[in-house]
Short mmCIF file of all heavy atoms in Angstrom, two decimals:
data_model
loop_
_atom_site.label_atom_id
_atom_site.label_comp_id
_atom_site.label_asym_id
_atom_site.label_seq_id
_atom_site.Cartn_x
_atom_site.Cartn_y
_atom_site.Cartn_z
N HIS A 1 -25.13 -1.72 -33.95
CA HIS A 1 -24.61 -1.18 -35.01
C HIS A 1 -23.06 -1.39 -34.97
O HIS A 1 -22.37 -1.78 -35.96
CB HIS A 1 -24.90 0.25 -35.28
CG HIS A 1 -26.23 0.44 -35.95
ND1 HIS A 1 -26.39 0.69 -37.26
CD2 HIS A 1 -27.53 0.40 -35.36
CE1 HIS A 1 -27.67 0.69 -37.50
NE2 HIS A 1 -28.36 0.50 -36.48
N ARG A 2 -22.49 -1.14 -33.83
CA ARG A 2 -21.05 -1.34 -33.67
C ARG A 2 -20.66 -2.75 -33.70
O ARG A 2 -19.63 -3.24 -34.41
CB ARG A 2 -20.55 -0.74 -32.32
CG ARG A 2 -20.47 0.82 -32.44
CD ARG A 2 -20.00 1.44 -31.16
NE ARG A 2 -21.08 1.52 -30.23
CZ ARG A 2 -21.00 1.30 -28.91
NH1 ARG A 2 -19.85 1.08 -28.35
NH2 ARG A 2 -22.06 1.27 -28.10
N HIS A 3 -21.37 -3.54 -33.00
CA HIS A 3 -20.99 -5.06 -33.08
C HIS A 3 -21.16 -5.68 -34.39
O HIS A 3 -20.37 -6.57 -34.80
CB HIS A 3 -21.94 -5.73 -32.09
CG HIS A 3 -21.71 -7.25 -32.03
ND1 HIS A 3 -20.47 -7.79 -31.59
CD2 HIS A 3 -22.48 -8.41 -32.38
CE1 HIS A 3 -20.52 -9.10 -31.55
NE2 HIS A 3 -21.76 -9.45 -32.15
N TYR A 4 -22.32 -5.35 -35.19
CA TYR A 4 -22.53 -5.94 -36.54
C TYR A 4 -22.06 -5.03 -37.64
O TYR A 4 -22.66 -5.17 -38.75
CB TYR A 4 -23.99 -6.32 -36.60
CG TYR A 4 -24.44 -7.56 -35.73
CD1 TYR A 4 -25.26 -7.34 -34.65
CD2 TYR A 4 -23.94 -8.81 -35.97
CE1 TYR A 4 -25.72 -8.47 -33.94
CE2 TYR A 4 -24.22 -9.86 -35.16
CZ TYR A 4 -25.15 -9.62 -34.16
OH TYR A 4 -25.49 -10.82 -33.38
N ALA A 5 -21.17 -4.15 -37.42
CA ALA A 5 -20.82 -3.24 -38.42
C ALA A 5 -20.32 -3.91 -39.73
O ALA A 5 -20.50 -3.32 -40.85
CB ALA A 5 -19.53 -2.31 -37.83
N ILE A 6 -19.64 -5.04 -39.63
CA ILE A 6 -19.25 -5.75 -40.81
C ILE A 6 -20.42 -6.10 -41.78
O ILE A 6 -20.24 -6.28 -42.98
CB ILE A 6 -18.54 -7.05 -40.43
CG1 ILE A 6 -17.79 -7.58 -41.66
CG2 ILE A 6 -19.38 -8.09 -39.75
CD1 ILE A 6 -16.85 -8.72 -41.31
N HIS A 7 -21.62 -6.16 -41.22
CA HIS A 7 -22.85 -6.52 -42.05
C HIS A 7 -23.66 -5.29 -42.54
O HIS A 7 -24.60 -5.41 -43.28
CB HIS A 7 -23.73 -7.45 -41.27
CG HIS A 7 -23.17 -8.70 -40.90
ND1 HIS A 7 -22.59 -9.58 -41.75
CD2 HIS A 7 -22.92 -9.24 -39.64
CE1 HIS A 7 -22.09 -10.64 -41.19
NE2 HIS A 7 -22.27 -10.42 -39.83
N GLN A 8 -23.22 -4.03 -42.13
CA GLN A 8 -23.90 -2.83 -42.55
C GLN A 8 -23.98 -2.88 -44.18
O GLN A 8 -23.04 -3.14 -44.81
CB GLN A 8 -23.19 -1.65 -42.11
CG GLN A 8 -23.71 -1.36 -40.69
CD GLN A 8 -23.18 0.00 -40.14
OE1 GLN A 8 -22.14 0.56 -40.55
NE2 GLN A 8 -23.83 0.56 -39.08
N GLY A 9 -25.17 -2.56 -44.62
CA GLY A 9 -25.34 -2.39 -46.11
C GLY A 9 -25.89 -3.70 -46.57
O GLY A 9 -26.38 -3.74 -47.81
N LYS A 10 -25.91 -4.79 -45.87
CA LYS A 10 -26.32 -6.07 -46.37
C LYS A 10 -27.88 -6.16 -46.16
O LYS A 10 -28.53 -5.41 -45.29
CB LYS A 10 -25.73 -7.30 -45.68
CG LYS A 10 -24.26 -7.37 -46.07
CD LYS A 10 -23.61 -8.54 -45.24
CE LYS A 10 -22.15 -8.58 -45.61
NZ LYS A 10 -21.37 -9.63 -44.80
N ALA A 11 -28.56 -6.88 -47.00
CA ALA A 11 -30.06 -6.86 -47.02
C ALA A 11 -30.68 -7.28 -45.63
O ALA A 11 -31.70 -6.85 -45.26
CB ALA A 11 -30.58 -7.83 -48.06
N PHE A 12 -29.92 -8.11 -44.88
CA PHE A 12 -30.53 -8.56 -43.59
C PHE A 12 -30.11 -7.70 -42.34
O PHE A 12 -30.56 -8.00 -41.27
CB PHE A 12 -30.02 -10.08 -43.31
CG PHE A 12 -28.47 -10.19 -43.29
CD1 PHE A 12 -27.87 -9.99 -42.11
CD2 PHE A 12 -27.77 -10.60 -44.36
CE1 PHE A 12 -26.44 -10.10 -41.95
CE2 PHE A 12 -26.47 -10.70 -44.29
CZ PHE A 12 -25.76 -10.50 -43.11
N PHE A 13 -29.24 -6.70 -42.57
CA PHE A 13 -28.80 -5.86 -41.50
C PHE A 13 -29.88 -5.28 -40.57
O PHE A 13 -29.71 -5.44 -39.41
CB PHE A 13 -27.81 -4.67 -42.02
CG PHE A 13 -27.24 -3.93 -40.85
CD1 PHE A 13 -26.18 -4.42 -40.11
CD2 PHE A 13 -27.66 -2.71 -40.63
CE1 PHE A 13 -25.71 -3.59 -39.09
CE2 PHE A 13 -27.14 -1.86 -39.56
CZ PHE A 13 -26.19 -2.45 -38.76
N ASN A 14 -30.88 -4.57 -41.20
CA ASN A 14 -31.87 -3.97 -40.33
C ASN A 14 -32.65 -4.94 -39.56
O ASN A 14 -32.97 -4.74 -38.35
CB ASN A 14 -32.82 -3.07 -41.21
CG ASN A 14 -32.16 -1.81 -41.65
OD1 ASN A 14 -31.12 -1.35 -41.10
ND2 ASN A 14 -32.55 -1.34 -42.77
N GLU A 15 -33.01 -6.08 -40.23
CA GLU A 15 -33.74 -7.19 -39.39
C GLU A 15 -32.87 -7.75 -38.35
O GLU A 15 -33.31 -8.09 -37.22
CB GLU A 15 -34.15 -8.28 -40.43
CG GLU A 15 -34.93 -9.35 -39.77
CD GLU A 15 -35.37 -10.47 -40.78
OE1 GLU A 15 -35.45 -10.15 -42.02
OE2 GLU A 15 -35.64 -11.59 -40.30
N LEU A 16 -31.58 -7.89 -38.52
CA LEU A 16 -30.62 -8.40 -37.51
C LEU A 16 -30.67 -7.42 -36.27
O LEU A 16 -30.75 -7.79 -35.20
CB LEU A 16 -29.23 -8.57 -38.15
CG LEU A 16 -28.06 -8.93 -37.13
CD1 LEU A 16 -28.33 -10.23 -36.49
CD2 LEU A 16 -26.77 -8.97 -37.95
N VAL A 17 -30.53 -6.12 -36.60
CA VAL A 17 -30.47 -5.05 -35.55
C VAL A 17 -31.81 -5.16 -34.73
O VAL A 17 -31.84 -5.09 -33.38
CB VAL A 17 -30.20 -3.74 -36.02
CG1 VAL A 17 -30.47 -2.60 -35.00
CG2 VAL A 17 -28.74 -3.66 -36.48
N THR A 18 -32.97 -5.25 -35.41
CA THR A 18 -34.22 -5.26 -34.78
C THR A 18 -34.32 -6.55 -33.91
O THR A 18 -34.78 -6.43 -32.77
CB THR A 18 -35.39 -5.26 -35.86
OG1 THR A 18 -35.26 -4.05 -36.67
CG2 THR A 18 -36.79 -5.47 -35.23
N PHE A 19 -33.86 -7.69 -34.38
CA PHE A 19 -33.99 -9.04 -33.64
C PHE A 19 -33.03 -8.89 -32.35
O PHE A 19 -33.53 -9.13 -31.22
CB PHE A 19 -33.52 -10.09 -34.57
CG PHE A 19 -33.24 -11.35 -33.75
CD1 PHE A 19 -34.12 -12.09 -33.04
CD2 PHE A 19 -31.78 -11.87 -33.73
CE1 PHE A 19 -33.91 -13.22 -32.38
CE2 PHE A 19 -31.63 -13.02 -33.01
CZ PHE A 19 -32.66 -13.67 -32.27
N ILE A 20 -31.79 -8.46 -32.54
CA ILE A 20 -30.91 -8.50 -31.40
C ILE A 20 -31.11 -7.49 -30.30
O ILE A 20 -30.84 -7.66 -29.23
CB ILE A 20 -29.45 -8.35 -31.87
CG1 ILE A 20 -28.41 -8.98 -30.89
CG2 ILE A 20 -29.10 -6.94 -32.19
CD1 ILE A 20 -28.40 -10.47 -30.78
N THR A 21 -31.92 -6.45 -30.65
CA THR A 21 -32.30 -5.39 -29.64
C THR A 21 -33.77 -5.63 -29.11
O THR A 21 -34.20 -4.82 -28.24
CB THR A 21 -32.21 -4.00 -30.26
OG1 THR A 21 -33.02 -3.91 -31.46
CG2 THR A 21 -30.82 -3.67 -30.72
N ALA A 22 -34.39 -6.75 -29.59
CA ALA A 22 -35.81 -6.88 -29.15
C ALA A 22 -36.03 -7.34 -27.73
O ALA A 22 -37.07 -6.91 -27.13
CB ALA A 22 -36.47 -7.94 -30.12
N SER A 23 -35.09 -8.01 -27.22
CA SER A 23 -35.26 -8.43 -25.75
C SER A 23 -33.90 -8.79 -25.23
O SER A 23 -32.87 -8.84 -25.99
CB SER A 23 -36.17 -9.65 -25.60
OG SER A 23 -35.78 -10.75 -26.30
N PRO A 24 -33.75 -8.98 -23.94
CA PRO A 24 -32.41 -9.22 -23.37
C PRO A 24 -31.61 -10.39 -23.91
O PRO A 24 -32.16 -11.40 -24.50
CB PRO A 24 -32.60 -9.58 -21.84
CG PRO A 24 -34.04 -8.98 -21.62
CD PRO A 24 -34.70 -9.02 -22.92
N ILE A 25 -30.29 -10.28 -23.86
CA ILE A 25 -29.36 -11.27 -24.33
C ILE A 25 -28.48 -11.56 -23.09
O ILE A 25 -28.37 -10.86 -22.15
CB ILE A 25 -28.52 -10.82 -25.51
CG1 ILE A 25 -27.62 -9.70 -25.12
CG2 ILE A 25 -29.38 -10.50 -26.72
CD1 ILE A 25 -26.49 -9.30 -26.06
N ILE A 26 -27.66 -12.61 -23.29
CA ILE A 26 -26.54 -12.91 -22.27
C ILE A 26 -25.26 -12.77 -23.06
O ILE A 26 -25.07 -13.34 -24.08
CB ILE A 26 -26.66 -14.39 -21.71
CG1 ILE A 26 -28.02 -14.78 -21.15
CG2 ILE A 26 -25.38 -14.70 -20.88
CD1 ILE A 26 -28.16 -13.92 -19.82
N ALA A 27 -24.40 -11.92 -22.58
CA ALA A 27 -23.03 -11.69 -23.12
C ALA A 27 -22.13 -12.36 -22.07
O ALA A 27 -22.21 -12.41 -20.86
CB ALA A 27 -22.75 -10.30 -23.17
#
């Protein structure tokens, strides 16, 4: 939510959060 704050309120926001938190990432 903090990283993608600029997209809050957009139609794809919840799907984006679900996707990015689904499994590990590399930062």
Side-chain angles (χ1 to χ4, degrees):
H1 279 259
R2 286 181 281 146
H3 179 66
Y4 289 116
I6 192 168
H7 298 303
Q8 280 186 334
K10 295 180 181 174
F12 60 86
F13 181 75
N14 289 335
E15 185 178 334
L16 176 60
V17 170
T18 299
F19 166 66
I20 203 71
T21 60
S23 64
I25 64 166
I26 302 294

